Amino acid sequence: MDDACVATTLLDADQSILSGLASESTLSVSGKYRIGKMSNQLGTIIAISNEKDFVCSSQKFKNTARCILNSLAYTQNVIDLQRSITNKNTARLIHNLTSLNAHNIQEVYSLIPQEEISGKIKGHVEYVKQTVIEHPIDAANVLLRIAKNNAAMKAEFSVFKKLFNPHPEMHPSQHVVHKVLLNVLYLFFSDFTDKNVDIKIDRSDAKAYFDYESIHVALYHLIDNAAKYTKPSSTFDIKFDTNSVGVAIVFRMKSVRILETEINRIYEEGFSGSIPTKIGKAGNGIGMGIIRTIIQINGGSVNLKSDHSTRENDFGIDFEINEIVIELPAQPRRNNRLSDFV
């Protein structure tokens, strides 16, 4: 089937000429155009041109066609690379969504055993209702965890749409930063509570100019990291600083130490710190990279600073004060292109 013709705009006469051409040969047809064929180990190209220079000179025609033929390897490499990147991103999306969906199913069955539902052809609604009445706190926690997982799914879809689309849809407008942050933070209250982490967040009516959906994703990834790496029985401080340029959100926490040699690498895709890896909490190495890319697309910036003088060891794990500052513009800035960052 490799030689099958799927579609063509060539006339029957032209196709007849081509079928009779040997490789590395050309033919001037009625002095109006030149047609030729060339092959190598990578494939075959068919060239047709009505350019005067090519019609009059078979050598110029061959030289140009040979250049195109010799570029097939490079072109194929570009195609293979792009296919690999696309497949990798798609595979990651499917894997993450499958995992989150599995977590949601487990949450439901942790409250209501599957065999109890499947074994009751009638009355299963009443059974679920009674379970919720008898275990309201457990039911509330299950619903909150499902809401968190659904938010994670939304974040995965948003990242895929906005970061792997050459023309992502952005809808920037002014938003109260404090309100947007709380919309994400509440999803993680139980995670911080389980670790006895006290959340302290300033009040602020400051507004910034950004695309809500993408910033929601960036904040989700940041707070997800904070929930994983903040030291148990510590404080997670969130403050706001406003000026004429915009709004800065300052996240300050005592969390897993970031080695000096790793500070400049935490934004690299696929990189996970040595300590998170050691304690089994390393993710897939895309969190901070996604955060920075999204913030930059929205005209802002993100910076991380570590206070090494605050280092302490708890059960063999090094912790120190880490501060992440996200700055968002108060007014529209230049329309950043995705290609500037990824």
Side-chain angles (χ1 to χ4, degrees):
M1 292 296 291
D2 289 344
D3 294 329
C5 179
V6 177
T8 180
T9 58
L10 292 176
L11 300 175
D12 290 342
D14 296 330
Q15 294 185 60
S16 177
I17 292 171
L18 275 173
S19 64
L21 279 176
S23 182
E24 297 288 326
S25 64
T26 74
L27 181 66
S28 176
V29 182
S30 304
K32 295 180 179 179
Y33 62 91
R34 185 173 292 278
I35 186 169
K37 179 168 42 175
M38 284 190 173
S39 301
N40 64 12
Q41 67 275 17
L42 292 173
T44 299
I45 67 165
I46 296 169
I48 302 174
S49 176
N50 61 359
E51 290 287 334
K52 183 177 180 180
D53 286 348
F54 293 144
V55 174
C56 296
S57 173
S58 63
Q59 192 58 48
K60 284 185 178 181
F61 185 93
K62 285 183 178 180
N63 289 341
T64 303
R66 190 172 290 110
C67 286
I68 298 172
L69 182 66
N70 291 335
S71 70
L72 287 179
Y74 172 77
T75 304
Q76 188 61 50
N77 287 337
V78 172
I79 293 172
D80 290 344
L81 176 61
Q82 187 57 46
R83 182 182 292 118
S84 174
I85 293 172
T86 302
N87 290 343
K88 177 183 176 182
N89 294 330
T90 303
R92 184 168 60 202
L93 174 69
I94 293 173
H95 173 270
N96 291 345
L97 291 177
T98 301
S99 298
L100 289 166
N101 183 60
H103 289 321
N104 275 348
I105 293 172
Q106 290 171 359
E107 289 294 345
V108 173
Y109 291 153
S110 69
L111 180 67
I112 306 162
Q114 184 178 8
E115 60 271 16
E116 293 293 338
I117 299 177
S118 59
K120 299 178 184 296
I121 299 177
K122 294 183 179 180
H124 55 279
V125 172
E126 185 62 31
Y127 173 78
V128 173
K129 172 185 173 183
Q130 193 60 36
T131 300
V132 171
I133 292 174
E134 294 175 1
H135 306 281
I137 295 178
D138 291 339
N141 286 329
V142 164
L143 288 174
L144 286 173
R145 285 191 289 268
I146 289 176
K148 175 189 169 185
N149 290 336
N150 285 344
M153 289 184 183
K154 181 176 183 294
E156 291 291 344
F157 280 122
S158 296
V159 166
F160 195 83
K161 286 192 302 180
K162 292 186 183 294
L163 297 193
F164 306 123
N165 183 342
H167 304 289
E169 290 186 13
M170 304 289 282
H171 303 284
S173 60
Q174 280 202 329
H175 301 276
V176 177
V177 179
H178 183 274
K179 182 178 180 180
V180 176
L181 179 59
L182 283 181
N183 287 342
V184 181
L185 189 60
Y186 88 90
L187 298 169
F188 294 89
F189 281 164
S190 60
D191 297 82
F192 288 110
T193 301
D194 291 344
K195 298 176 68 172
N196 195 33
V197 172
D198 185 22
I199 302 174
K200 294 184 178 179
I201 179 170
D202 281 357
R203 291 184 176 276
S204 174
D205 295 323
K207 294 183 178 180
Y209 188 84
F210 54 83
D211 171 65
Y212 178 90
E213 185 180 37
S214 61
I215 292 299
H216 189 279
V217 170
L219 293 174
Y220 181 94
H221 280 283
L222 190 149
I223 297 173
D224 184 37
N225 281 344
K228 283 194 295 187
Y229 302 131
T230 298
K231 182 179 181 293
S233 301
S234 64
T235 301
F236 181 35
D237 281 315
I238 305 174
K239 299 183 182 296
F240 300 89
D241 183 22
T242 60
N243 52 47
S244 58
V245 176
V247 181
I249 316 172
V250 183
F251 302 89
R252 185 176 175 85
M253 70 214 84
K254 177 157 285 189
S255 55
V256 172
R257 176 192 173 199
I258 303 172
L259 303 182
E260 288 84 345
T261 56
E262 298 175 345
I263 289 288
N264 293 326
R265 298 195 61 196
I266 61 172
Y267 300 106
E268 295 179 11
E269 181 175 352
F271 177 78
S272 294
S274 56
I275 296 180
T277 301
K278 177 182 176 182
I279 62 177
K281 290 190 175 182
N284 48 21
I286 63 171
M288 287 303 295
I290 284 176
I291 291 168
R292 184 172 69 172
T293 299
I294 290 174
I295 297 299
Q296 289 178 331
I297 290 173
N298 280 276
S301 64
V302 57
N303 293 286
L304 185 148
K305 295 183 290 185
S306 297
D307 185 351
H308 304 308
S309 66
T310 62
R311 188 177 308 159
E312 62 180 69
N313 188 281
D314 188 30
F315 293 102
I317 303 173
D318 283 339
F319 294 91
E320 59 190 18
I321 295 293
N322 289 306
E323 185 176 276
I324 299 175
V325 180
I326 289 179
E327 295 185 350
L328 296 169
Q331 300 295 331
R333 293 187 180 177
R334 72 179 182 88
N335 188 22
N336 291 320
R337 297 173 301 168
L338 182 64
S339 58
D340 291 338
F341 309 109
V342 295

